[in-house]
Amino acid sequence: MQVMKREAEIYVNQIGYLPDENKYAYISRSDYEEVCGKNESCGQKNPDSAKKEFSVVEKESGKILYTGTLKEKPEDRASGEAYYYADFSDFKGLEENQLFYIEISGAKSFAFRIARNIYDSLYFSTLNFFKLSRCGQGVCHTGKALVYGSQEKKDVQGGWHDAGDYGRYIVAGAKTVMDLLLAYECSKNTFRAFDILDEVRFELEWMLQMQREDGAVYHKISCYHFCAFINPEDEKDEIVLAPVSTSATADFAGTLAYAASYYKASDPAFSEKLLKAALLAQSYLDCHEDELYTNPPEIKTGGYGDRDVSDERYFALASLFAATKKSEYFEKAMEIRRNKEAEVPVEGEPWRGWHESYGWGSVSGYGTEILLKNQDLILQRQNGKELLEDLKSYYLKEAEVFLNTSKNSVFGTDLSHFSWGSNGAVCDAAHVMLVAYSLTGKKDLYEACKRQISYILGCNPLNFCYISGFGSKNPVQPHHRPSIASGKIMPGMLAGGPCEWLADDFAKKKLQNRSPLKCYIDAVPSYSTNEIAIYWNSAFIYLLATLYF
């Protein structure tokens, strides 16, 4: 377990800032009063009477390059106390490789850079995480899998290890592929150091193997139980294919139909194979009622269950409409949407009503985003303009909620509650705001999304850069089997982040009575705060690509 030290009371984006963007640093009011009380030039015994100045200092020379006045941020529920913030947006930096720090009454922040290419290495590493997470390839989990409930064996190779364990799950992989394809669309002309389409293809090839002959898709492949913290090649237990599910089959259909267009020019045969498999999956969905997944009694690995699969069905139909131009898919998608819009929201049942979402269990946003990318097809329809306005309306409404939350948050976070995987959820909420920005050009939405990047990279009350291997203080005890087993922390992994549920025993023991943003601990046993997951990485990658590449 990494001890939470107070080596720096000032919170900055530990990777750095672009020269022309807004730049903020933070210090809690209590820490300010403490450091100010130790500094005779700072208001002496009355910190409130001090000027509350901050400085930007060049690290090598110690030269003060910029000064400003701290401004107060009132306490909010998530942070749990009042803070001051330093706005040094006017400071553009000097040379690309220089390091700076913020100084307040003798306290110093971690060092950071101000440069145009500050995110190149981070973007590469968070992408390369997927290559490092590949399964199979003659190394691990190479045996045939037992089809649950039968004596049948099936050869299923490849895919990415999902999270801290070695399972491979369709719903998790589908969300991840969608994020990476959308990120590729943003960065394909500006970042060529990593072949995103090649990496995505590795996952797609695995997904194709998960389809049954009748079009249904197995929900996941894993052992019956989570293994100890061993290397993947040392997990020798029997591998089992879990039963098919509607969520897996629909996510499969939507993802493969969308992915087909990305490979049409370079590999027409593969593109056709993807679309054919998507159509077969949809044929199965058309003639089967919902098959909601829950783990059979013998299988104890991640369930990824879902109470409502209307959003998965909508995503599949929207994607197939874009791929085939056939009206029947659009009409069925809109019927699902209208039925959900008519639902009355119920407290404690977030699946009621319509939402544009990007989580593994709520994928409606991908379907609507695909439709918005094909506006010309919609405008050709009767009442096309009205249909298009309806598609946009929920994005704009939900984006405003996230934007207002960000504006009223100390650190600019776009969530009001922080549950398991909150760092990924922060990015997914920003995804909604970025689509809304593309529709409106409202600059506040764009700036709010940047605040989520800074929050993850150090502007948070624990002073953590939540990406392994980056920043001055980052996760070194992740709930990630290959990292712990090998003794080498895999770089480029986004930790799950604060979880105010305290959903594991270690968190319950160590994090009681903390404010939500402090409900994180860098410790292997805390899977609810310090595990990693492919779809948290992909959500962050999408956000980084859209904002900076």
Side-chain angles (χ1 to χ4, degrees):
M1 182 183 76
Q2 181 172 342
V3 178
M4 299 295 189
K5 297 180 179 178
R6 289 171 52 84
E7 67 275 83
E9 298 91 350
I10 303 166
Y11 315 129
V12 297
N13 180 329
Q14 295 172 28
I15 306 303
Y17 306 82
L18 270 68
D20 298 321
E21 72 177 349
N22 292 332
K23 309 173 189 70
Y24 303 104
Y26 304 84
I27 185 170
S28 71
R29 182 179 177 87
S30 59
D31 279 351
Y32 171 78
E33 290 174 352
E34 181 179 333
V35 298
C36 198
K38 295 176 181 178
N39 188 334
E40 292 184 359
S41 65
C42 179
Q44 297 187 16
K45 294 184 179 180
N46 184 10
D48 284 335
S49 68
K51 294 181 180 179
K52 297 184 178 64
E53 287 188 344
F54 71 91
S55 301
V56 181
V57 183
E58 184 189 13
K59 184 178 181 181
E60 184 176 357
S61 67
K63 183 179 179 181
I64 295 175
L65 301 175
Y66 181 91
T67 58
T69 302
L70 295 172
K71 300 176 183 178
E72 191 160 7
K73 277 276 189 180
E75 178 178 341
D76 65 5
R77 190 192 76 88
S79 62
E81 59 180 314
Y83 285 79
Y84 294 110
Y85 72 99
D87 183 348
F88 55 108
S89 304
D90 292 339
F91 181 67
K92 310 298 183 183
L94 299 174
E95 298 176 4
E96 290 285 297
N97 292 319
Q98 282 184 304
L99 289 172
F100 308 93
Y101 60 83
I102 303 296
E103 184 169 350
I104 301 173
S105 299
K108 300 177 182 179
S109 73
F110 290 130
F112 57 87
R113 293 172 59 218
I114 297 177
R116 299 194 181 280
N117 66 343
I118 52 170
Y119 292 127
D120 287 8
S121 177
L122 178 66
Y123 191 50
F124 174 85
S125 188
T126 52
L127 285 165
N128 196 54
F129 157 75
F130 292 98
K131 193 176 292 293
L132 298 176
S133 300
R134 287 184 173 191
C135 183
Q137 304 183 99
V139 176
C140 67
H141 306 100
T142 55
K144 290 186 177 181
L146 177 70
V147 177
Y148 179 81
S150 75
Q151 298 301 313
E152 179 187 354
K153 294 272 187 140
K154 183 174 173 62
D155 191 20
V156 178
Q157 301 294 320
W160 300 311
H161 295 143
D162 172 63
D165 63 296
Y166 298 125
R168 288 159 284 164
Y169 308 82
I170 286 290
V171 296
K175 177 201 165 19
T176 304
V177 166
M178 288 301 300
D179 287 341
L180 293 180
L181 289 175
L182 292 169
Y184 169 78
E185 190 66 29
C186 296
S187 64
K188 62 184 178 182
N189 296 321
T190 57
F191 189 86
R192 296 185 174 88
F194 188 90
D195 191 336
I196 296 177
L197 291 187
D198 180 68
E199 193 57 40
V200 166
R201 180 168 181 158
F202 184 80
E203 182 78 353
L204 291 170
E205 297 275 16
W206 164 74
M207 292 177 74
L208 286 166
Q209 299 170 63
M210 294 289 285
Q211 187 173 39
R212 235 168 39 183
E213 290 184 1
D214 62 355
V217 177
Y218 295 108
H219 193 76
K220 64 175 180 176
I221 180 171
S222 70
C223 297
Y224 286 95
H225 301 271
F226 290 123
C227 65
F229 278 76
I230 57 177
N231 283 309
E233 62 269 23
D234 295 326
E235 187 178 45
K236 304 295 186 182
D237 291 350
E238 185 174 40
I239 304 169
V240 61
L241 279 164
V244 301
S245 70
T246 298
S247 56
T249 305
D251 278 349
F252 175 99
T255 301
L256 269 64
Y258 184 70
S261 65
Y262 286 84
Y263 299 91
K264 193 170 185 179
S266 61
D267 192 338
F270 182 61
S271 174
E272 185 178 349
K273 185 178 183 180
L274 293 174
L275 184 55
K276 183 178 179 180
L279 289 166
L280 183 61
Q282 185 59 47
S283 294
Y284 180 89
L285 293 167
D286 286 341
C287 56
H288 287 81
E289 297 294 323
D290 290 347
E291 297 170 282
L292 304 182
Y293 183 81
T294 56
N295 267 340
E298 304 94 323
I299 300 178
K300 306 297 183 183
T301 52
Y304 287 99
D306 199 337
R307 300 187 187 192
D308 183 344
V309 292
S310 57
D311 54 291
E312 284 85 0
R313 287 183 178 271
Y314 169 82
F315 165 44
L317 291 163
S319 189
L320 282 165
F321 168 65
T324 67
K325 313 297 187 287
K326 291 185 177 180
S327 292
E328 62 185 275
Y329 295 124
F330 180 79
E331 290 163 4
K332 289 178 180 178
M334 294 306 292
E335 182 181 1
I336 290 173
R337 184 184 180 102
R338 284 191 292 270
N339 289 338
K340 291 297 291 182
E341 287 178 352
E343 287 183 354
V344 178
V346 177
E347 187 175 354
E349 297 183 4
W351 58 89
R352 302 289 183 190
W354 185 259
H355 305 278
E356 301 295 358
S357 304
Y358 289 93
W360 62 260
S362 184
V363 295
S364 54
Y366 297 109
T368 305
E369 188 169 355
I370 290 170
L371 293 177
L372 291 173
K373 288 177 180 290
N374 290 272
Q375 294 187 25
D376 56 328
L377 295 177
I378 297 171
L379 290 172
Q380 293 170 15
R381 306 181 64 82
Q382 186 178 7
N383 300 323
K385 287 185 178 181
E386 291 84 353
L387 289 169
L388 198 56
E389 288 306 308
D390 180 56
L391 291 174
K392 294 177 180 179
S393 64
Y394 277 81
Y395 264 115
L396 302 182
K397 181 173 68 175
E398 295 192 29
E400 281 299 314
V401 173
F402 293 134
L403 177 60
N404 288 333
T405 300
S406 175
K407 286 182 175 179
N408 292 312
S409 163
V410 169
F411 296 98
T413 48
D414 52 23
L415 299 181
S416 55
H417 291 84
F418 294 79
S419 56
W420 197 329
S422 65
N423 282 342
V426 158
C427 298
D428 289 335
H431 195 149
V432 174
M433 288 195 285
L434 281 173
V435 174
Y437 170 73
S438 74
L439 298 173
T440 65
K442 187 175 180 179
K443 193 68 174 176
D444 282 0
L445 292 165
Y446 193 78
E447 291 301 320
C449 292
K450 287 187 174 184
R451 301 286 292 275
Q452 313 317 306
I453 294 287
S454 284
Y455 163 76
I456 286 172
L457 299 181
C459 288
N460 58 69
L462 293 178
N463 214 15
F464 254 90
C465 174
Y466 285 113
I467 307 284
S468 60
F470 285 83
S472 298
K473 184 180 180 182
N474 53 64
V476 296
Q477 290 291 315
H479 186 91
H480 182 242
R481 281 164 176 77
S483 291
I484 301 306
S486 67
K488 298 179 181 178
I489 307 304
M490 191 180 291
M493 303 186 297
L494 174 62
C499 175
E500 60 182 291
W501 301 352
L502 304 184
D504 63 73
D505 290 340
F506 195 84
K508 286 183 174 72
K509 181 179 178 180
K510 299 291 185 178
L511 300 175
Q512 291 290 338
N513 303 314
R514 303 281 187 95
S515 58
L517 289 182
K518 294 181 180 179
C519 289
Y520 166 83
I521 188 165
D522 183 21
V524 175
S526 185
Y527 52 82
S528 70
T529 75
N530 209 33
E531 191 168 9
I532 61 89
I534 55 174
Y535 46 89
W536 299 336
N537 253 61
S538 65
F540 178 79
I541 286 166
Y542 166 79
L543 187 56
L544 201 63
T546 309
L547 292 170
Y548 293 110
F549 289 93

